[in-house]
Structures are given as structure tokens and as C-alpha cells.
Amino acid sequence: MAVTKHPLPLRLKSSSNSSVSRQLMRIGFIMTLTFVLIAIFAPVFQAWGWIQNPLESLNNPSHVPPSAQYWFGTNREGYDVFSRTLYGTQVALQVVVLATVLSLVIGVPLGLVSGYLGGSLDRTLLFLMDTIYTLPGLLLSITLAFVVGRGIFNAAIAISISYIPQYYRVVRNHTVSVKTELFVEAAQAMGASTWRVISRYLFLNVIQSVPVLFTLNAADAILTLGSLGFLGQGLPPRVPEWGHDLRQALQALPTGIWWTAFFPGMALTLLVVGLSLLGEGLSEFINPHWRKQR
């Protein structure tokens, strides 16, 4: 007698995977939202007197361990580690959002135009983007940071250059596949201009993966900004930035002063994990193959 095979175990496995992905995405969203709220309300907390000014150091003793007065202790220069850690969130999100938005604004239009028009323009842009993509991102950011100098906007420019090829490649490849669809050919046959075809018929159909790439690039940009600050090529020294604070903390770490490195490093790690979980969850949610398996 023939035995009928039921696909129930496969559906259960797919449902379990989707449930785990949703839970991880929720965790990543909560972690990221927490840091966003900290960045927004840090000046309010300072105005209410809950936290110190991160640039005030003369009234604080140096290397005080965590206590009721100094929750995260103080560093070598007398800065309050708690306030600098909170304000470091604000600075990190400002630079990272600006960097990823810059790379998105440049990479997405170039990918749309290159994929739709093709020809010599497509080959030239593809060669240029592949050349940039092959360079190590951190090394490229360090070089540009040395050229453009320190500052929030300058750091964003230095970081964004390595992400432009990623947006370009994703959007360009989707555009090449979508431009042969019937609805695009029908729009061309009706006399629609190039701008109308790109903006109305192609744009929304080729940017499904952009939110995922945005969050994953933001997580990587946090690490890049921290690396620039650690190497002394990020923001000005007085600006509360996690990478710079970690660099200053290394000198005191062998003497048992752990708090000046632990709290900025933990904040950086948690934000990167939150953005990574959010990006991976969005990838599973947006992926059409995953949708078909639900």
C-alpha cells in the first residue's frame, strides 16, 4: 500500500523559523528604539539635572569607580562616564544616520539610471562601483577621514563612501530584471518618458531590499565610527564618542580601572546587536521565498 507523504513537518519548521525571526526582529527593534530614545532625551535629562554635562570635568575627581553619585564612574580626565555614554548614543546615531542616508541618496538613483539605461554609462558606473567595493571599507573611511578632517558631517562622508556601491549593486541588479516586465514595456509603448518610467514604475519595485541594507549598514557604520574614534580620526576629542573614550580607557585598563572601557564598549556592542537583529529580521520578513513558505 502506498504511503502518502504529508508536508506538515515542513510547514511546522517554516512556521517555527518565522516565529524565531519575528522574535529576533522584535528584540532588535526594542534595543534600537531604546538607544534612539536615549539619544533624544539625553539633553532633557541634563536639563532636569539627572545627568551631568558630558563636557564638564573640573568638578569631578578622576577614576572614581561606579557609585551612587557617579553611576558609571569617572575617567582619567574627570568626565562622568554615564553622561558621556548617553551622549555618545546621540553622536553615534547622528553620524550613522547621516552616513547611511548619504550613501542611499547617491547609490539608489545611480543604480536605477544605470540599470535602466544600460550601455556605456552602465559599464562605466559598474566598473567604478566595483573598484570602490573591492577596497577595504575601514581603510577607505580612514583615508577619507584624514583628508576631510574631523566633525560629524566629515565623519559621515568618510563612512558613507564605502556603502554607496552596495546600494548601487542591489538596485541596479533589480532594475535590470524588472525593466523587462510587461508593465514597463507597456509604459514605454505608451510614450512614457525615462524619468516617468524610473520614478513611477521601477522605483517602488526595486527598493524592497533597501530597508534591510540600511539597517545592516547602520550596524556596520557604528563599528566604523568607533574604529575611527579609536584611531584618533573620528570626531574632535571633547565630543563624547565611544571609540575615543575606549582609546582613552586603554591606558588605565591594566591598572584595574575597568569601568571607563566597559560601559562605552557595552553600549557600542548593544547598539550593533540591536541593528543587526533588526536587519536580519527584516530580511526574513521581506524575502519573498520566506513569504511563500509561511
Side-chain angles (χ1 to χ4, degrees):
M1 181 176 60
V3 179
T4 303
K5 296 182 179 180
H6 298 282
L8 181 59
L10 178 60
R11 288 200 296 267
L12 290 175
K13 181 178 179 180
S14 300
S15 177
S16 177
N17 290 337
S18 64
S19 177
V20 172
S21 298
R22 287 177 180 271
Q23 291 177 4
L24 291 178
M25 185 170 65
R26 289 194 193 98
I27 294 173
F29 176 77
I30 292 173
M31 294 174 65
T32 305
L33 180 61
T34 301
F35 279 98
V36 172
L37 293 177
I38 290 174
I40 294 174
F41 288 103
V44 179
F45 296 155
Q46 179 188 341
W48 290 349
W50 292 2
I51 62 175
Q52 294 187 13
N53 186 332
L55 301 180
E56 290 182 355
S57 61
L58 297 179
N59 296 328
N60 300 329
S62 62
H63 287 161
V64 175
S67 61
Q69 183 178 3
Y70 305 105
W71 290 1
F72 289 177
T74 62
N75 62 9
R76 181 186 64 182
E77 299 174 347
Y79 290 120
D80 182 61
V81 178
F82 180 70
S83 62
R84 288 186 66 85
T85 302
L86 264 59
Y87 270 90
T89 304
Q90 186 182 67
V91 172
L93 290 178
Q94 286 178 352
V95 174
V96 167
V97 170
L98 185 58
T100 48
V101 168
L102 283 174
S103 57
L104 186 150
V105 169
I106 297 174
V108 170
L110 288 179
L112 279 166
V113 173
S114 177
Y116 180 71
L117 297 180
S120 58
L121 176 64
D122 180 50
R123 291 192 295 270
T124 302
L125 287 175
L126 192 60
F127 174 78
L128 177 62
M129 294 299 171
D130 286 344
T131 302
I132 298 176
Y133 189 75
T134 56
L135 298 175
L138 179 59
L139 179 61
L140 184 61
S141 298
I142 293 174
T143 304
L144 288 177
F146 181 78
V147 173
V148 301
R150 295 182 174 184
I152 291 179
F153 187 73
N154 293 341
I157 293 176
I159 294 173
S160 65
I161 191 67
S162 61
Y163 301 130
I164 293 176
Q166 299 182 28
Y167 290 100
Y168 168 83
R169 288 158 64 100
V170 169
V171 173
R172 183 255 178 196
N173 292 339
H174 286 180
T175 303
V176 170
S177 61
V178 172
K179 74 176 184 180
T180 58
E181 297 290 337
L182 291 178
F183 67 91
V184 176
E185 295 180 355
Q188 294 171 341
M190 293 175 62
S193 63
T194 299
W195 166 251
R196 185 174 180 82
V197 172
I198 291 177
S199 61
R200 182 169 182 178
Y201 297 99
L202 289 178
F203 179 73
L204 294 179
N205 288 282
V206 300
I207 61 169
Q208 292 89 347
S209 299
V210 168
V212 178
L213 193 59
F214 185 90
T215 53
L216 294 178
N217 282 344
D220 186 72
I222 292 289
L223 294 175
T224 303
L225 177 63
S227 300
L228 290 178
F230 188 81
L231 296 173
Q233 295 295 330
L235 304 178
R238 285 178 57 83
V239 176
E241 194 270 317
W242 295 331
H244 177 266
D245 289 350
L246 287 173
R247 181 188 183 188
Q248 297 295 325
L250 281 184
Q251 300 178 4
L253 192 60
T255 62
I257 301 174
W258 55 269
W259 55 89
T260 56
F262 176 79
F263 292 109
M266 182 59 65
L268 188 150
T269 302
L270 290 177
L271 182 53
V272 170
V273 170
L275 288 170
S276 300
L277 290 178
L278 181 60
E280 293 296 335
L282 286 175
S283 178
E284 292 292 332
F285 183 76
I286 294 176
N287 190 346
H289 298 291
W290 177 82
R291 286 181 176 177
K292 292 178 181 179
Q293 293 176 353
R294 292 182 60 187

